[in-house]
Amino acid sequence: KAGVTQTPRYLIKTRGQQVTLSCSPISGHRSVSWYQQTPGQGLQFLFEYFSETQRNKGNFPGRFSGRQFSNSRSEMNVSTLELGDSALYLCASSPEGRRVNTEAFFGQGTRLTVV
Amino acid sequence: DQQVKQNSPSLSVQEGRISILNCDYTNSMFDYFLWYKKYPAEGPTFLISISSIKDKNEDGRFTVFLNKSAKHLSLHIVPSQPGDSAVYFCAASAGAQKLVFGQGTRLTINP
């Protein structure tokens, strides 16, 4: 079974630009969550999508948005990039069940650098 | 508001000895706890979990202890091996809500 695939792996953008990151979950998984990892802050939850609907949302500004397609693939978008948005963005997929956000399987992440 | 805290950014342990990683939480609604391990340039991988109805869960060299009254959990690795060198994250959830992660502890196993 293929794992979670995130593209691209590395990205360099300029302040003010916008960026779209992609995540393909494990086949059969319908829940996709996005996290931002920065040094000293651990993994900060961005949002979770389940069956094309945003089900949970973290405390990030509206510049961060996402969506999920009917095949469960998900994209996240960051508009008007700031230097502080430089981070590793991780996507995780989870199987169905009462605890859809536990034992999440992570992708390798997209390293975004804003210059 | 950091609901899950790992107060030790790093830990160094000799190969063959016990590694103990600690995690504290503040939200009494958390009822499921997990540990993840992360190598550089890779995503975190699930290691072990524990439900709030238990106080201990064991899987091979890894044991997680939960002290609900102290809102504290710990991960014990015995014996520690060089391949255990990684960043370890604890995480918690309440019901079907999002996973809340700690800041991570970098474990280094010295030969």
Side-chain angles (χ1 to χ4, degrees):
Chain A
K1 200 183 235 189
V4 179
T5 304
Q6 289 188 247
T7 55
R9 290 291 311 278
Y10 302 93
L11 208 47
I12 299 176
K13 288 286 188 178
T14 305
R15 268 185 304 175
Q17 286 187 310
Q18 68 93 25
V19 66
T20 299
L21 311 181
S22 179
C23 172
S24 294
I26 292 171
S27 178
H29 287 192
R30 291 167 60 187
S31 169
V32 174
S33 298
W34 288 89
Y35 293 83
Q36 180 195 66
Q37 185 190 2
T38 53
Q41 291 296 315
L43 279 73
Q44 302 288 313
F45 175 77
L46 281 153
F47 26 66
E48 182 218 354
Y49 286 87
F50 182 79
S51 294
E52 302 179 65
T53 301
Q54 188 181 86
R55 186 163 60 175
N56 284 302
K57 189 177 187 307
N59 298 323
F60 278 80
R63 300 186 296 108
F64 291 81
S65 63
R67 59 178 175 168
Q68 187 179 33
F69 302 95
S70 58
N71 62 357
S72 293
R73 189 177 72 85
S74 177
E75 289 181 347
M76 72 161 272
N77 184 278
V78 188
S79 62
T80 321
L81 283 166
E82 301 176 359
L83 295 179
D85 297 334
S86 295
L88 179 67
Y89 290 87
L90 290 159
C91 161
S93 77
S94 302
E96 284 193 63
R98 186 181 72 85
R99 289 192 170 277
V100 294
N101 209 12
T102 57
E103 298 181 20
F105 296 86
F106 284 85
Q108 291 182 294
T110 294
R111 172 73 63 185
L112 172 65
T113 302
V114 182
V115 297
Chain B
D1 177 30
Q2 194 74 30
Q3 296 184 67
V4 178
K5 293 182 182 179
Q6 294 175 257
N7 292 316
S8 298
S10 62
L11 176 67
S12 187
V13 174
Q14 194 170 3
E15 182 179 357
R17 306 293 288 267
I18 182 172
S19 295
I20 300 177
L21 295 99
N22 294 303
C23 180
D24 297 298
Y25 62 96
T26 57
N27 189 342
S28 57
M29 297 301 291
F30 287 148
D31 61 354
Y32 200 71
F33 305 88
L34 307 89
W35 284 93
Y36 282 83
K37 176 179 178 180
K38 185 181 185 300
Y39 293 117
E42 294 183 13
T45 54
F46 169 74
L47 198 54
I48 192 170
S49 63
I50 187 167
S51 164
S52 61
I53 63 173
K54 295 185 176 181
D55 54 20
K56 177 182 173 182
N57 188 26
E58 199 169 347
D59 183 2
R61 296 185 299 113
F62 302 91
T63 303
V64 56
F65 294 92
L66 175 63
N67 182 334
K68 290 185 289 294
S69 60
K71 294 191 177 67
H72 177 83
L73 67 155
S74 60
L75 174 68
H76 292 209
I77 306 173
V78 182
S80 299
Q81 299 174 354
D84 297 330
S85 294
V87 176
Y88 289 79
F89 291 96
C90 68
S93 70
Q97 295 302 308
K98 63 187 182 186
L99 278 177
V100 180
F101 284 84
Q103 306 96 312
T105 296
R106 181 176 301 279
L107 175 65
T108 302
I109 306 301
N110 302 308

